[in-house]
Amino acid sequence: MKYIKIRGTSLEVSNIVMGCMRLNSLDVREAQRHIETAIAAGINMFDHADIYGGGECEELFSKAIDMKSRIREKIIIQSKCSIRNGYYDFSREYIIAAVDEILKRLHTEYLDILLLHRPDALMEPEETADAIRSLKKSGKVRYFGVSNQNPMQIELLQKYSEERLLFNQLQFSLVHTPLIDSGMAVNMQIGQSVDRTCGTLEYCRLKDITIQAWSPFQRGFFEGPFIGDMEHYGELNNMINHLAEKYEVTPSAVAVAWLTRHPADIQVILGTTKDSRMLEGCSGSWIPLTREEWYGLYKAAGNMIP
């Protein structure tokens, strides 16, 4: 497992993260086995959100590991808040209350990381920054970040926040590549050259913000996995299968390796609830794809390399 040192902090995080969005599809014993499998594979970071299972996933997680100090101190727990019933909320009152409920469900006194989950168009940055300040001062949250935000949204909040925003969780996979596309086709009159992310990838690298890739195996917005989908991604799967054979791993590991190969030190969130799939994904942590292979996969996914 590859680990990433987050600059300016004491955090050293695995580049593979266990996503807990579907954890409540398991019972306590199954969840315990799944978490232990992840830890044994080298994963030290777990991603939650208050909306996952309506809070059930956080509750189940704490029961499964019996949140004792000897375990809690060895793992990094991240959760997210701001998505409510049909709207987003970055108000101070909501964020403080949401964190208190998250801590109660997780049976822990602090979160290692809190992400603000999708941008709130009505955000008042001074108020949101005050919530961050309060959570830091109280010891309830150690570090902060955002999810699905562009550079100017981050800059607006960072202007008022004394705490650095250290993470940005974004959809990113071999078949969802807006973070890369426009940079590959600068100054061309084609659809691929349209900048849909406002330079988010480059901005995050400049600001030492770690990108966390969600849905690394999905096509579209939860439209199903692209791995094995020969109808829509035949050429891509043929190349993935070839590389899987070369590196003696599964296709899932190759899809993960395409992300971890990027010099931005991207973390990959694995949301599977199957132990075997978790281990397959972890195998992609260190695969040394060559430049030719990385670009070849990108092109096979349907993108143009000018």
Side-chain angles (χ1 to χ4, degrees):
M1 181 67 63
K2 180 180 178 181
Y3 295 90
I4 302 166
K5 181 70 173 67
I6 306 302
R7 190 171 298 180
T9 78
S10 61
L11 290 176
E12 190 169 4
V13 299
S14 53
N15 70 343
I16 308 297
V17 178
M18 179 179 146
C20 299
M21 185 172 72
R22 300 179 179 87
L23 195 65
N24 64 337
S25 66
L26 306 177
D27 61 29
V28 174
R29 184 174 298 179
E30 291 169 335
Q32 180 183 31
R33 186 194 66 236
H34 192 57
I35 296 165
E36 289 175 350
T37 298
I39 293 174
I43 290 175
N44 71 349
M45 186 165 169
F46 298 84
D47 177 65
H48 292 272
D50 57 358
I51 64 165
Y52 292 169
E56 290 181 0
C57 295
E58 291 170 331
E59 290 179 347
L60 180 60
F61 183 88
S62 66
K63 291 177 183 176
I65 68 170
D66 193 21
M67 199 66 84
K68 295 177 180 177
S69 59
R70 63 181 178 82
I71 299 175
R72 178 67 185 93
E73 292 166 3
K74 295 179 180 179
I75 61 176
I76 296 168
I77 298 179
Q78 168 179 282
S79 194
K80 303 182 289 292
C81 70
S82 86
I83 298 179
R84 305 192 70 175
N85 186 21
Y87 63 101
Y88 306 132
D89 192 345
F90 278 17
S91 68
R92 184 186 191 283
E93 181 182 12
Y94 167 73
I95 293 172
I96 297 294
V99 169
D100 285 341
E101 291 301 312
I102 289 169
L103 295 178
K104 187 183 301 183
R105 288 190 294 268
L106 285 169
H107 290 276
T108 184
E109 295 179 354
Y110 67 96
L111 283 176
D112 294 285
I113 303 162
L114 175 71
L115 304 187
L116 298 177
H117 203 178
R118 292 198 174 275
D120 176 11
L122 301 181
M123 175 184 73
E124 297 181 43
E126 300 95 332
E127 180 183 356
T128 305
D130 189 48
I132 290 173
R133 187 180 306 109
S134 177
L135 289 169
K136 178 72 172 185
K137 184 177 180 180
S138 67
K140 293 179 181 179
V141 180
R142 297 175 65 197
Y143 302 107
F144 299 84
V146 296
S147 178
N148 306 293
Q149 293 203 18
N150 67 34
M152 289 301 100
Q153 291 167 328
I154 296 172
E155 280 288 300
L156 178 59
L157 178 54
Q158 190 68 83
K159 175 182 177 181
Y160 297 93
S161 177
E162 300 159 3
E163 293 297 316
R164 282 183 53 224
L165 300 172
L166 299 170
F167 300 89
N168 192 5
Q169 193 172 116
L170 299 151
Q171 185 175 6
F172 196 10
S173 76
L174 252 172
V175 301
H176 185 91
T177 55
L179 287 169
I180 290 173
D181 295 340
S182 61
M184 199 78 74
V186 170
N187 200 37
M188 298 184 70
Q189 292 182 319
I190 58 174
Q192 187 175 320
S193 69
V194 176
D195 186 357
R196 294 178 169 83
T197 70
C198 305
T200 297
L201 176 60
E202 292 77 13
Y203 170 84
C204 287
R205 295 184 72 183
L206 283 167
K207 297 293 185 178
D208 295 322
I209 295 173
T210 298
I211 289 175
Q212 300 175 345
W214 58 269
S215 284
F217 307 127
Q218 290 284 330
R219 59 184 181 90
F221 196 73
F222 300 124
E223 294 174 13
F226 62 85
I227 295 175
D229 183 354
M230 298 301 292
E231 178 184 355
H232 297 96
Y233 299 102
E235 182 182 356
L236 176 60
N237 275 283
N238 285 335
M239 186 169 184
I240 287 174
N241 292 336
H242 169 73
L243 292 173
E245 184 176 348
K246 172 185 174 179
Y247 290 106
E248 299 181 337
V249 294
T250 63
S252 296
V254 174
V256 169
W258 187 82
L259 292 165
T260 59
R261 170 63 178 83
H262 197 281
D265 275 339
I266 293 165
Q267 289 184 287
V268 180
I269 299 174
L270 300 181
T272 181
T273 55
K274 295 182 179 179
D275 296 352
S276 59
R277 293 294 299 276
M278 174 72 70
L279 294 174
E280 290 174 7
C282 288
S283 298
S285 171
W286 267 109
I287 295 176
L289 293 178
T290 66
R291 269 187 165 80
E292 184 178 7
E293 290 166 347
W294 190 91
Y295 278 100
L297 287 166
Y298 179 76
K299 185 176 181 180
N303 300 296
M304 187 189 74
I305 298 177

